Amino acid sequence: MLHPARRPKLPKPLSLPLKLLPRKLHGYALSKVLNQVFKREMSEGELDFLEGRTVRIDVSDAGLSYAVSMSQGLFVEAGGVPVDLTITGSVYDYLLLVTNREDPDTLFFQRHLTMDGDTGLGVHLKNMLAAVEMDRLPLPSRFRPAIDRCLAVYERFA
């Protein structure tokens, strides 16, 4: 992991194609991915604490924001709904989280990922993420190497 002062940021031109897509489409795509990735946790009731709650995920260096909520045991796009919790971080920090190269506790305590809103909900979510073994999640076999390559490129050009 890089020193905090040297954390890479997504170059603005790379975020432009994503900004051209409607926000609702972003939230819809994210909710579909979350439903697939956390299928086991949802079936075991580990995400029941999110039912009816809205979490916004802000990607600071890309200028993007995604709102998702849990409804009837599934993640759904939640644009235009009051937000209970906002999590903010850079693309790099979210990639570190997804690849398990940094645990959620470290990312939050070092303020690379920040929470605003219902801190009780945020702590519960952080603890749930810390308990999940990312290697056990049902990710396509080609997905993890692609993320690792993205991290390597980020770190090389930081």
Side-chain angles (χ1 to χ4, degrees):
M1 185 188 75
L2 295 176
H3 184 275
R6 297 202 51 209
R7 294 182 88 77
K9 300 291 181 198
L10 183 72
K12 297 235 183 266
L14 292 180
S15 67
L16 183 59
L18 291 173
K19 289 181 182 179
L20 295 174
L21 297 172
R23 278 184 191 226
K24 197 168 191 122
L25 184 60
H26 288 267
Y28 177 77
L30 180 62
S31 66
K32 292 297 181 191
V33 168
L34 291 173
N35 284 327
Q36 196 61 32
V37 169
F38 291 109
K39 184 183 259 183
R40 180 177 173 188
E41 287 75 14
M42 291 183 328
S43 70
E44 294 174 355
E46 292 178 34
L47 297 175
D48 288 353
F49 69 95
L50 289 171
E51 187 69 31
R53 310 299 297 272
T54 301
V55 177
R56 185 173 66 221
I57 300 168
D58 287 344
V59 186
S60 56
D61 54 346
L64 298 171
S65 182
Y66 309 95
V68 294
S69 185
M70 180 77 64
S71 177
Q72 298 178 3
L74 293 172
F75 285 103
V76 295
E77 188 277 328
V81 176
V83 174
D84 297 297
L85 175 69
T86 300
I87 299 173
T88 304
S90 70
V91 170
Y92 181 71
D93 295 316
Y94 287 119
L95 287 172
L96 289 174
L97 178 67
V98 169
T99 59
N100 210 27
R101 288 198 33 208
E102 281 290 342
D103 64 282
D105 286 328
T106 300
L107 290 167
F108 282 106
F109 289 134
Q110 291 181 354
R111 311 250 334 130
H112 298 302
L113 292 177
T114 60
M115 288 185 258
D116 186 37
D118 184 337
T119 54
L121 176 63
V123 169
H124 199 153
L125 181 59
K126 177 195 66 69
N127 290 340
M128 189 280 304
L129 288 172
V132 170
E133 295 176 32
M134 296 296 183
D135 293 336
R136 187 185 54 92
L137 294 177
L139 300 173
S141 60
R142 286 179 253 170
F143 187 63
R144 191 167 302 275
I147 293 176
D148 288 334
R149 283 192 299 275
C150 286
L151 277 170
V153 168
Y154 259 75
E155 291 170 346
R156 187 175 314 127
F157 293 108

